[in-house]
Each structure stands twice: as C-alpha cells, then as structure tokens.
Amino acid sequence: MPPGLVALALGGFGIGLTEFLIAGLLPQVASDFAVSEAVAGRLISGYALSVAVGAIVLTAATARLSRKRVLVALVALFVVGNLLSAVAPDYRVMMLGRIVAALCHGSFFGIGSLVARSLVAPERKSRAVAVMFAGLTLANVLGVPFGALVGERWGWRSAFWAVTAIGVLALAGIVALVPAWAGQVPPTDLRTQLRAFRSWQVWLTLTATALGYGGMFGAFSYLAYTFTEVGGFSAADVAWLLMVYGVGLVVGNVIGGRAADRDRDRALLLALLGLTVTLAAFGLLAANAPASVVLVFLLGLTGFAAVPGMITRVTDHAHRAALAAGANVSASNVGNALGAWLGGLALSAGLGYRAPLFVGAGIVAVSFVVMAVAAYTNRPR
C-alpha cells in the first residue's frame, strides 16, 4: 500500500468525523448556544448543502492547479473550519465553521480519488479508491459514538479540537507522503472540464449514483424509528445497531473495490440489485429483531459496495476530469436529500415506519435500471 494512500485515508477519516459527530453533540450545542434542537439541527443540513456546492465550485476553480497542492489547501481549509467550530462564541460562528469545513468535503474526495488511483497500477484503481474511502466508512462507524463520548467527558468543543488535530496530522501526511506527480494531468480550463459532461456514460453513472445513494439514505434517515416502533428495540439499542450498519459499510467498501477491479459494471449491477433486495426484505421483516440485525448489516454492505466502482467509472468516462469526480460527490448528496424527502413524504402520508424502506427499494431499483442501460450501451460492438 503506497503511504500516500494512508495519508488520504486519514484525511477522509477526519472529514467523515466532522460530518457525523455533530449528531451526538446536538443537545449540548443547543444548550450552550441557547437555541432549539431544530435550529441546532441546521448545523447538519447546512453542512450537507455546503458539501454539494463546494464539490462543484472548488473543483472547478482549482482545475488548473497541481492536485497535491489542491489537496493540501483543502485540508488546511478543513482545519480552519473545525478550529472555528471549536472556538465559536455563538451559533452563527459555529455555522460558519461548519460551512467552511464542508466546502472542502466534496472536492477532497473527488480530487483525492483521482490521486489515489494514480498511486497504484491501473488494475487496482478501484481498490485504491476503496482504501481512501475506508477512512470515511470508519468515521461513519465511530463518528456519533466518538462525538457523544468525548463531548460527555470533556465538552462538545473538545470533539472539534480532536478533529482539528486529526486534520493537522492528515495535512502533514499529505505534504510528506503524497508525490507531487500524483494524479497530475495537463492544466485544463473550465471549458475543457465541462466537455467531459458530453458523455452519456457520465450522466448515466451520475444518475445511478444519486438514485443508489438516495434509496439507501432515504431508508437510513428513519431507521431509528423503524427499529423502535416496528422492531421492538429500545432507544438505547439504536446506537449499536447503527454501528452494525457502519461495519457493513466498511466490509462493503472493501468487497466493492476488489469486485470493481475484476468486472466493474457487473459488480455495480450486483451491488444495486443486492441493495434493492435488502431494502425490500428489511421492509417485510422489520418486526423480526434477529432479521433486522442481519439486514442492517447487509444494508451497509450493499449500500457502499457500489461506491468505489461508481467513482472510477465516472472518472474513466470523463477522462479523469476533476470536475466530474466532484460532480459524483454532489450527486450522492443530492440523492441523500431526495431520498430523505421521499421517505418523509411516505411517513407523512401515514404509511408507517416500514414505508421508507420500500420507498428506498423502489428508488434503488430505478438506479439498477439506469446502471443496466449504462452497462449495455457501453459494451464493445
């Protein structure tokens, strides 16, 4: 494993922690700043929207720069954002810190995936991307409990100080371990970058990404209610059940990277089909506690198994244009928002706490069809 990949994974871990740990700190933040929990919750939605914007804007603005230098600047921005959150005297500065940290998120994973794949042989590119994303998946497992534990013992600000320190370590690692040539391509202007979007394969892959993420996240957003209201679990059980889901993400990331290097389109179709079946089965068996434990693990596994392959697929068809890599991250966040919205509509319609699972299965089924069209039209004639 090239040491530069370890530095990228550490950066991904820190960025992932920033995204997820706030969920376990909201009560303390709301109390400290004298705002309602609903207002404090905007620190999550504001972050997500900033990720979608930053992934496009910053990637486009830095298209002509060295990718290593861009990564260094992005991680530095991440450190500044978390430092602002750690010292924030009021809610507005806290939100500013969240937005600054979020702006680097999409571009880091988009550009970082191009750098990661350049550090290994072409036949291992999806596995290299999976290694970089391993940090994000581990953060998904550890983020909420980490934030809750550190915040309970030393206060919520200490959690952001810890993430700031991780960012500094990642910054030093990228400076020292990522070669200057990694991921480098001839300088391109914005018009050249936009030409990548003339490919239907790019658009089909972005659509499949958005729908695949949307189906999974639409179900995930309401899993706590499904566990407690349908499965009979206690509220205290939700934390370890979500950790089981996170372990599934880690396993799916590894399996998906290896499978995509063997036969990418087949691996993506199998992952999306598996996710569709898992969501539908979960909806049917949500009242069965043992089945729910198995299915939440499979939800994480099948949900993330497509990620490495989707990223390498869109960047291959975009001729490694950094803007397309950033667009892939934006597509996933747009999908997250769409899935959560549709799942919420199903709940508002009185369809019950199983409904988001079935809605998610339907969305992913459409993603499977889109991916099947992409794979069929991409076959050699």
Side-chain angles (χ1 to χ4, degrees):
M1 184 187 300
L5 278 180
V6 178
L8 292 173
L10 181 60
F13 178 66
I15 291 174
L17 279 181
T18 298
E19 180 177 15
F20 300 120
L21 66 79
I22 188 66
L25 300 172
L26 281 184
Q28 295 182 46
V29 173
S31 175
D32 201 10
F33 291 142
V35 298
S36 69
E37 291 198 2
V39 172
R42 294 174 191 168
L43 295 170
I44 297 176
S45 56
Y47 185 97
L49 290 173
S50 300
V51 170
V53 173
I56 299 295
V57 174
L58 289 186
T59 305
T62 57
R64 299 180 64 86
L65 303 179
S66 158
R67 285 177 177 167
K68 177 179 177 177
R69 289 183 180 178
V70 173
L71 286 177
V72 169
L74 290 172
V75 178
L77 188 67
F78 165 78
V79 170
V80 170
N82 281 284
L83 188 59
L84 275 175
S85 295
V87 301
D90 55 39
Y91 176 82
R92 287 179 296 179
V93 177
M94 179 72 173
M95 177 62 84
L96 176 62
R98 293 288 292 168
I99 291 172
V100 170
L103 287 174
C104 77
H105 183 126
S107 292
F108 178 86
F109 284 109
I111 296 172
S113 65
L114 297 173
V115 171
R117 59 181 286 168
S118 73
L119 296 175
V120 299
E123 65 271 15
R124 292 176 177 268
K125 60 189 176 185
S126 293
R127 272 175 279 188
V129 171
V131 169
M132 190 195 75
F133 272 84
L136 179 63
T137 57
L138 285 173
N140 202 307
V141 177
L142 302 175
V144 175
F146 172 84
L149 177 64
V150 173
E152 181 181 348
R153 293 195 175 187
W154 298 291
W156 65 267
R157 294 181 188 275
S158 61
F160 285 96
W161 280 113
V163 175
T164 300
I166 292 172
V168 172
L169 289 175
L171 180 62
I174 291 172
V175 170
L177 302 176
V178 174
W181 52 260
Q184 202 52 38
V185 294
T188 54
D189 57 19
L190 181 58
R191 181 177 298 178
T192 304
Q193 292 270 320
L194 289 172
R195 287 177 189 158
F197 293 93
R198 294 179 179 178
S199 167
W200 275 108
Q201 289 296 326
V202 170
W203 284 107
L204 288 170
T205 309
L206 291 175
T207 303
T209 296
L211 293 172
Y213 264 95
M216 179 182 70
F217 200 79
F220 174 77
S221 299
Y222 305 99
L223 269 185
Y225 297 104
T226 306
F227 286 136
T228 56
E229 303 299 325
V230 181
F233 291 97
S234 69
D237 290 326
V238 172
W240 69 262
L241 286 165
L242 293 181
M243 289 190 72
V244 171
Y245 167 81
V247 173
L249 293 180
V250 175
V251 175
N253 181 52
V254 174
I255 293 174
R258 290 180 175 273
D261 280 334
R262 294 190 181 97
D263 188 332
R264 186 169 56 199
D265 283 357
R266 178 178 293 180
L268 291 175
L269 287 170
L270 288 174
L272 293 172
L273 180 61
L275 180 57
T276 303
V277 172
T278 297
L279 285 166
F282 205 164
L284 294 171
L285 301 173
N288 185 303
S292 293
V293 176
V294 174
L295 287 166
V296 77
F297 170 80
L298 292 177
L299 178 62
L301 189 154
T302 55
F304 219 83
V307 171
M310 286 291 191
I311 292 173
T312 56
R313 192 178 201 280
V314 75
T315 51
D316 278 351
H317 286 288
H319 307 293
R320 303 189 187 183
L323 189 58
N328 191 75
V329 180
S330 288
S332 65
N333 279 271
V334 169
N336 289 351
L338 174 67
W341 177 66
L342 291 176
L345 286 181
L347 288 177
S348 300
L351 299 179
Y353 290 108
R354 299 173 189 253
L357 292 161
F358 291 119
V359 170
I363 297 172
V364 180
V366 178
S367 176
F368 174 82
V369 172
V370 172
M371 190 63 237
V373 171
Y376 178 79
T377 54
N378 192 47
R379 294 187 309 171
R381 299 297 179 185

